[in-house]
Amino acid sequence: MTDSFRRIDYSIRPAKHAERRMLCDIFRKLAAFEPVENYRYVGFGSVWFADFTLFHRALGIRNMLSIEQAVSSKDRFEANKPFNLHIDFRMSTQALPEMGYERRQFIWLDYDDPLSPEMLHDVAIIATRARSGTVLVVSLQCHRAREIAEADRECARDESAATAEERFRTKFGNRIDPNIGREDLVGWSFGTLSRGIVISEIEASLETRRLANPADQVTFTKICDFEYEDGAKMTTLAVVFCSPDEEERLSMCGFDNLEFVEDPNLPVYIPTPKLTPREFRQLESQLPLAEGTELAIGHIPLGEANSFKRLYRYFPNFVVIES
């Protein structure tokens, strides 16, 4: 985790909150491998530790590790950490190679920034070591690639400077389509591109693992993707690793029955319904809808009401006090 905690209160971002709850539903399904309370959770807790609090309370996970690179704020992190969890104050590129991989884990690499080679290194470390039944979640900012600002700045001084897409291709090499354009480095298109590069890195890492030790090979299955924006556009990819002898356990997880996944070929878009507290209560009091009934939305915009109906179980409840 970078020092973004100085700018963002992760505990009140509604789409992020919903994503955490959806991940909780995903993690719960891993009971087909072993009781989820036996798993270890690894994440970037920031000073808020919202993910650690949820997964400990909802899933009973006791073994937890937070990786934090903001060493200058070490005392603040220690003062705010809930429960008896361990914090590793190093860069993820340093902590992940030395972390134990003997047990099954839920690992959430919740980055604040756009994709970088260092992030792919983290993904490769995990893919080449993770035990069967481990879930890897990778969240990335996809508002705009860094290379666009770099290119615009330099092209203003030198028209022959490399374009954004040329810089991106140089950085990520053969993992990307050589025909990508500037439009692929912005917004949801950039999110799709970023997830594809992460998938490519996982595939390459697993092949390296198989060649090094065929008896240790695992495959991966994509569980789902997320897209949301609490400010900047974000995207998330969730996969599970599985060895050949545990494929039956994987099939028992029932990832195809996740309530929030309507089309497994599309990312789950997490909206942020813009409702007043009164509208919130009006809709929630009718849900879940009885069979054959329609949601009475009154003056609430249909799009906002439908977004709320689809994912209301995952949205946070906020209390506003005015004096």
Side-chain angles (χ1 to χ4, degrees):
M1 171 58 67
T2 65
D3 63 354
S4 60
F5 66 88
R6 301 182 196 280
R7 295 177 279 112
I8 305 168
D9 182 347
Y10 289 93
S11 64
I12 60 172
R13 296 167 66 192
K16 192 72 176 180
H17 183 100
E19 182 185 46
R20 281 190 213 104
R21 288 189 173 183
M22 292 175 188
L23 289 177
C24 201
D25 276 6
I26 289 174
F27 294 166
R28 191 173 283 115
K29 288 183 174 293
L30 271 295
F33 282 88
E34 73 173 87
V36 293
E37 57 266 33
N38 294 342
Y39 272 67
R40 174 163 70 167
Y41 175 65
V42 180
F44 303 156
S46 183
V47 295
W48 310 100
F49 295 101
D51 47 343
F52 285 82
T53 300
L54 174 64
F55 299 147
H56 176 66
R57 293 191 186 283
L59 303 176
I61 296 174
R62 300 168 60 88
N63 192 325
M64 299 180 286
L65 169 66
S66 184
I67 298 173
E68 309 295 343
Q69 70 178 53
V71 179
S72 61
S73 300
K74 183 174 181 178
D75 291 343
R76 188 179 179 194
F77 278 91
E78 290 288 357
N80 281 283
K81 76 175 184 181
F83 319 120
N84 185 27
L85 65 87
H86 178 63
I87 305 177
D88 188 329
F89 288 99
R90 291 185 293 173
M91 303 276 288
S92 56
T93 50
Q94 297 172 304
L96 290 172
E98 297 180 12
M99 193 175 77
Y101 291 87
E102 299 80 13
R103 67 191 309 159
R104 305 185 207 275
Q105 305 181 80
F106 301 128
I107 304 174
W108 188 2
L109 305 180
D110 190 9
Y111 302 109
D112 305 314
D113 300 316
L115 184 66
S116 71
E118 291 76 19
M119 295 173 187
L120 292 181
H121 179 264
D122 288 348
V123 168
I125 289 293
I126 294 167
T128 52
R129 293 167 169 79
R131 182 180 169 184
S132 177
T134 290
V135 172
L136 171 62
V137 182
V138 183
S139 294
L140 302 162
Q141 194 241 89
C142 61
H143 190 71
R144 194 170 73 153
R146 294 179 187 276
E147 289 73 17
I148 290 180
E150 295 171 3
D152 288 351
R153 188 169 53 247
E154 294 189 24
C155 286
R157 298 192 298 263
D158 178 2
E159 291 184 355
S160 64
T163 64
E165 50 271 36
E166 289 170 341
R167 293 165 191 269
F168 197 82
R169 280 196 293 268
T170 299
K171 187 175 290 184
F172 295 99
N174 58 7
R175 296 185 182 89
I176 60 173
D177 183 338
N179 298 315
I180 64 164
R182 184 182 174 104
E183 66 277 8
D184 295 308
L185 303 180
V186 178
W188 301 132
S189 295
F190 184 42
T192 301
L193 177 64
S194 298
R195 295 195 305 271
I197 295 172
V198 172
I199 288 289
S200 176
E201 187 67 31
I202 293 173
E203 291 172 339
S205 300
L206 293 185
E207 179 61 10
T208 300
R209 175 175 177 166
R210 185 188 68 80
L211 293 173
N213 183 5
D216 184 45
Q217 72 170 308
V218 297
T219 58
F220 80 99
T221 298
K222 188 177 81 171
I223 301 172
C224 68
D225 303 322
F226 295 107
E227 290 179 343
Y228 58 94
E229 49 187 326
D230 283 328
K233 287 183 169 60
M234 299 290 297
T235 189
T236 295
L237 165 72
V239 304
V240 57
F241 299 102
C242 183
S243 60
D245 61 331
E246 292 196 308
E247 288 182 356
E248 185 175 351
R249 294 173 188 260
L250 177 62
S251 64
M252 292 168 61
C253 289
F255 292 123
D256 51 347
N257 295 324
L258 287 165
E259 178 183 335
F260 50 81
V261 179
E262 294 182 334
D263 184 340
N265 297 312
L266 297 174
V268 176
Y269 179 70
I270 306 174
T272 306
K274 297 168 183 61
L275 302 171
T276 68
R278 180 171 293 183
E279 291 168 341
F280 188 99
R281 290 193 298 273
Q282 176 187 341
L283 295 178
E284 191 175 60
S285 65
Q286 303 173 64
L287 298 170
L289 279 178
E291 188 172 348
T293 62
E294 295 289 336
L295 192 64
I297 65 174
H299 299 290
I300 300 172
L302 180 60
E304 300 291 346
N306 284 336
S307 294
F308 185 82
K309 181 178 69 173
R310 185 167 65 88
L311 298 175
Y312 74 97
R313 281 206 313 117
Y314 302 97
F315 290 133
N317 293 308
F318 292 120
V319 175
V320 179
I321 301 175
E322 296 179 331
S323 59

